[in-house]
């Protein structure tokens, strides 16, 4: 299909930003006073606050609260344009970016490029697990999981009413004991033991089994042994079964199989599995690697220069989860600080100011919430646990949620869930659970359901030509029948 190139509207320096996540949004905003035009191209229309996805999946927050429209956030930034599209190609020689949406292709030129396309879920070479154990990377994942989690309780109620064994429906397995897995397991346990305890008649939701499985020997490895141990103890108090040193070897519709270091294999019957185990950098990294020779690491992250540019291409910056530099972690602050650095570097060059020198990441610490009033935080050498860590988590997330509207409504929903027993966002639909799998079975995904303008025009022309020929044939037949006296009233009789 022919790609269209938008007309260059100004002679100013053109910056293209790929992605509307932490790197993309903060990079674009940092350029608001620069003498440049910025085009942000992203495959979703929203800016996603990934750290709270698990709260959408467990019915605490709505998707709107953690994913405000990028267009609205940037509406006051006159030099920024937002384009919807999945970037499928970057031509470093021609300095163009090709993006697609519903089969329509657009080519955008740049003078400087900031690539912030993030990372996806990794199933360590077992991509077929994804159908039975969705990851936690985007809004679709969170809504599908919400449907699966609440749906499992519904199906268990029906089964129990008929006197069937429903253990497999009331067993929830979270794979991966990093912050996302810990938060997810904690929330499902709270849901089962607290939120839903009065809602069912045939089942007792408090009997639900919540398991957190990991091949590593401890939970939250980056937090160190002490905080990891504390988090594990808190999870166990909540009723979560923590299974460590267990490698997941198979996942299917009805369960999961794990292998232990001593060779023992165990199968757990569970309909609802959640994958929070591995990360793989965006495939655009491979395109960039092929064109520059910059190596990729095992997670697909691209090695960048100390100033976040690509070898031989000082006009291209890569930031956030896509980069392999000095063992930087895949966290929001790396993306935010990297994007701000890249924006400043672009401005410095335009103003002929000296470079800032190599990029330095300032580690502000990490935290993970276990359940209401329970969290762990590591800030430098300082370890904080319990209510204090939870309050720190609350304050920090309120600051970082984008937009006043979202902050107010999130605070309200947190009050409902943490002080009360309820969850404000329990709505689920069949489509949320099954639509993605159905779309995946179409050859070109959603594009197969929508005509592109070219084929629409051609189809309409063909229809018009066929219809005209049919009408002409019909008219000729009418004349023939009338002339033969077989149809209608002869003209002379009508007049008479
Ligand atoms: C469930 C979860 C919980 C997390 N919790 C924390 C936490 O508590 N603290 C913390 O610091 N970090 C956390 N992280 C990590 C943090 O969210 C990431 O490190 C951060 O989002 C990276 O920013 P980024 O800009 O590199 O990528 P992202 O924020 O992922 O943004 C990538 C953007 O690129 C777009 N995109 C992708 N491919 C294309 C394409 N081909 N064309 C166009 N657009 C594309 C995406 O739609 C998205 O807008 C968490 C991550 C997850 C998944």
């Amino acid at each position: 299909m022919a790609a269209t190139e938008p007309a260059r509207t100004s002679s100013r320096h053109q910056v293209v930003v790929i992605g509307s996540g932490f790197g993309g949004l903060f990079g674009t905003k940092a350029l608001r006073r620069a003498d440049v035009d910025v085009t942000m191209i992203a495959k979703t229309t929203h800016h996603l606050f990934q750290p709270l996805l698990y709260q959408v999946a467990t019915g605490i927050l709505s998707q709107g609260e953690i994913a405000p429209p990028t267009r609205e956030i940037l509406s006051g930034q006159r030099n920024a344009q937002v384009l919807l599209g999945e970037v499928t190609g970057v031509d470093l020689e021609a300095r163009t970016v090709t993006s697609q949406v519903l089969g329509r292709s657009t080519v955008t030129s740049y003078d400087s490029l900031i690539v912030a396309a993030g990372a996806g879920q990794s199933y360590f070479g077992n991509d077929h697990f994804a159908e039975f154990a969705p990851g936690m990377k985007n809004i679709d994942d969170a809504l599908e999981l919400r449907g699966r989690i609440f749906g499992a309780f519904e199906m268990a109620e029906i089964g129990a009413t008929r006197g069937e064994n429903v253990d497999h429906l009331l067993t929830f397995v979270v794979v991966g004991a990093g912050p996302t897995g810990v938060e997810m397991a904690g929330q499902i346990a709270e849901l089962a033991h607290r939120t839903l305890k009065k809602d069912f008649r045939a089942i007792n939701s408090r009997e639900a089994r919540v398991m957190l499985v990991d091949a590593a020997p401890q939970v939250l490895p980056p937090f160190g042994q002490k905080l990891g141990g504390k988090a594990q103890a808190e999870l166990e108090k909540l009723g979560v079964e923590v299974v460590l040193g267990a490698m997941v070897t198979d996942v299917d519709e009805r369960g999961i199989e794990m292998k232990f270091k001593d060779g023992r294999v165990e199968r757990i019957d569970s309909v609802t599995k959640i994958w929070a185990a591995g990360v793989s950098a965006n495939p655009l990294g491979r395109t960039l690697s092929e064109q520059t020779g910059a190596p990729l690491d095992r997670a697909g992250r691209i090695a960048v220069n100390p100033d976040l540019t690509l070898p031989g291409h000082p006009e291209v910056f890569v930031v956030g989860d896509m980069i392999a530099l000095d063992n930087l972690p895949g966290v929001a602050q790396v993306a935010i600080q990297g994007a701000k650095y890249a924006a400043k570097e672009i401005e410095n060059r335009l103003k002929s100011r000296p470079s800032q020198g190599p990029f330095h990441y300032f580690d502000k610490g990490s935290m993970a919430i276990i359940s209401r009033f329970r969290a762990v935080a590591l800030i430098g050498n300082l370890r904080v646990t319990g209510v204090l860590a939870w309050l720190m988590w609350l304050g920090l997330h309120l600051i970082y949620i984008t937009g006043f509207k979202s902050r107010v409504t999130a605070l309200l929903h947190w009050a409902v869930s943490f002080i009360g027993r309820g969850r404000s966002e329990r709505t689920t639909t069949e489509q949320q659970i099954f639509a993605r799998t159905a779309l995946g079975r179409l050859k070109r995904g959603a594009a197969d359901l929508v005509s592109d303008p070219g084929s629409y025009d051609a189809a309409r022309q063909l229809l018009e030509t066929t219809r005209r020929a049919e009408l002409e044939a019909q008219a000729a037949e009418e004349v023939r029948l009338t002339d033969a006296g077989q149809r209608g009233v002869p003209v002379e009789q009508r007049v008479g």
Side-chain angles (χ1 to χ4, degrees):
M1 176 179 323
T4 54
E5 184 159 3
R8 208 169 164 133
T9 47
S10 91
S11 57
R12 288 211 293 186
H13 190 89
Q14 302 292 309
V15 183
V16 168
V17 175
I18 302 177
S20 61
F22 284 107
L25 183 66
F26 281 81
T28 302
K29 281 169 113 177
L31 286 164
R32 65 190 173 282
R33 292 203 189 85
D35 187 19
V36 298
D37 290 326
V38 188
T39 306
M40 177 201 270
I41 307 174
K43 66 177 181 184
T44 65
T45 56
H46 52 257
H47 162 68
L48 176 60
F49 191 85
Q50 283 178 341
L52 288 174
L53 269 174
Y54 75 96
Q55 295 205 357
V56 174
T58 52
I60 297 174
L61 295 180
S62 76
Q63 62 271 36
E65 278 151 351
I66 68 159
T70 324
R71 199 169 287 291
E72 185 183 287
I73 303 168
L74 294 173
S75 59
Q77 184 171 331
R78 299 291 299 272
N79 70 347
Q81 188 190 7
V82 179
L83 280 187
L84 175 65
E86 175 164 6
V87 173
T88 49
V90 177
D91 187 333
L92 294 179
E93 282 313 309
R95 297 193 178 182
T96 58
V97 167
T98 302
S99 54
Q100 313 264 349
V101 61
L102 293 174
R104 289 160 212 203
S105 194
T106 305
V107 177
T108 311
S109 305
Y110 64 81
D111 298 309
S112 294
L113 176 66
I114 301 178
V115 186
Q121 205 74 61
S122 167
Y123 288 83
F124 309 118
N126 297 298
D127 289 353
H128 57 287
F129 289 179
E131 192 178 337
F132 312 111
M136 271 279 279
K137 282 286 174 195
N138 54 46
I139 293 291
D140 283 335
D141 292 334
L143 291 179
E144 183 177 335
L145 281 171
R146 187 198 284 177
R148 288 186 183 220
I149 293 165
F150 286 99
F153 285 101
E154 295 300 332
M155 295 309 289
E157 178 79 352
I158 294 173
T161 309
R162 294 177 181 170
E164 294 163 7
N165 181 340
V166 293
D167 290 352
H168 60 296
L169 288 162
L170 290 180
T171 300
F172 300 83
V173 181
V174 180
V175 184
T180 303
V182 165
E183 289 168 343
M184 197 67 200
Q187 279 313 313
I188 299 176
E190 282 217 323
L191 197 63
H193 301 153
R194 209 165 151 263
T195 311
L196 301 178
K197 67 180 182 188
K198 291 188 182 158
D199 293 8
F200 292 92
R201 300 292 169 264
I203 58 165
N204 178 356
S205 70
R206 277 174 293 185
E207 285 172 3
R209 188 177 179 200
V210 183
M211 300 176 73
L212 179 64
V213 177
D214 202 305
Q218 72 157 87
V219 304
L220 296 178
F223 286 69
Q225 237 174 5
K226 207 164 170 190
L227 279 185
K230 180 85 187 160
Q232 181 174 345
E234 293 284 9
L235 282 167
E236 285 168 347
K237 252 193 256 170
L238 271 177
V240 176
E241 280 176 51
V242 180
V243 183
L244 298 171
M247 175 89 82
V248 172
T249 47
D250 198 14
V251 182
D252 58 37
E253 206 165 358
R254 282 282 291 226
I256 196 160
E257 189 185 271
M258 355 180 239
K259 192 171 179 185
F260 291 84
K261 287 213 168 73
D262 58 8
R264 190 165 42 95
V265 175
E266 195 178 327
R267 183 179 164 87
I268 305 292
D269 282 339
S270 160
V271 165
T272 313
K273 285 89 54 185
I274 296 120
W275 194 266
V279 168
S280 152
N282 193 286
L284 282 179
R286 178 161 297 283
T287 315
L288 300 176
S289 163
E290 282 163 2
Q291 293 177 63
T292 58
L296 298 177
D297 70 6
R298 277 178 58 203
R301 295 176 305 179
I302 190 163
V304 289
N305 292 327
D307 65 352
L308 304 182
T309 60
L310 287 177
H313 288 276
E315 74 285 5
V316 181
F317 295 84
V318 188
V319 302
D321 281 3
M322 286 185 72
I323 61 166
L325 177 71
D326 302 336
N327 280 327
L328 289 176
V331 296
Q333 277 301 325
V334 168
I336 293 172
Q337 293 176 27
K340 286 181 175 172
Y341 169 94
K344 183 112 180 65
E345 210 54 16
I346 293 170
E347 235 190 314
N348 283 351
R349 287 177 194 170
L350 288 174
K351 291 185 172 163
S352 303
R353 289 195 301 227
S355 157
Q356 304 158 87
F359 168 66
H360 290 295
Y361 167 59
F362 174 62
D363 184 357
K364 298 185 176 175
S366 7
M367 46 181 62
I369 182 172
I370 296 156
S371 65
R372 64 185 198 131
F373 311 140
R374 291 176 181 138
V376 290
L378 181 65
I379 302 143
N381 289 328
L382 185 70
R383 295 185 188 92
V384 190
T385 58
V387 181
L388 184 60
W390 186 82
L391 286 171
M392 286 165 61
W393 168 90
L394 189 75
L396 206 80
H397 282 72
L398 270 181
I399 294 169
Y400 276 102
I401 287 184
T402 306
F404 177 73
K405 245 182 348 196
S406 301
R407 276 186 207 123
V408 172
T409 51
L411 197 60
L412 251 160
H413 286 161
W414 283 338
V416 168
S417 301
F418 299 141
I419 301 170
R421 195 176 59 85
R423 304 241 159 164
S424 312
E425 300 293 335
R426 281 173 55 176
T427 309
T428 64
T429 69
E430 213 173 339
Q431 281 192 27
Q432 283 171 0
I433 307 173
F434 299 108
R436 184 163 44 174
T437 314
L439 279 174
R441 288 181 185 155
L442 296 175
K443 211 169 80 207
R444 298 184 309 146
D448 272 352
L449 303 174
V450 184
S451 312
D452 63 75
S455 59
Y456 175 75
D457 286 347
R460 207 181 51 181
Q461 227 169 20
L462 184 71
L463 196 73
E464 273 174 12
T465 315
T466 321
R467 186 81 187 119
R468 193 174 309 119
E470 270 173 20
L471 285 172
E472 278 168 9
Q474 209 177 332
E477 181 64 1
E478 288 291 333
V479 170
R480 193 186 65 76
L481 290 172
T482 308
D483 288 351
Q486 294 172 19
R487 171 77 59 82
V489 182
V491 177
E492 53 279 23
Q493 281 185 23
R494 257 192 273 155
V495 174

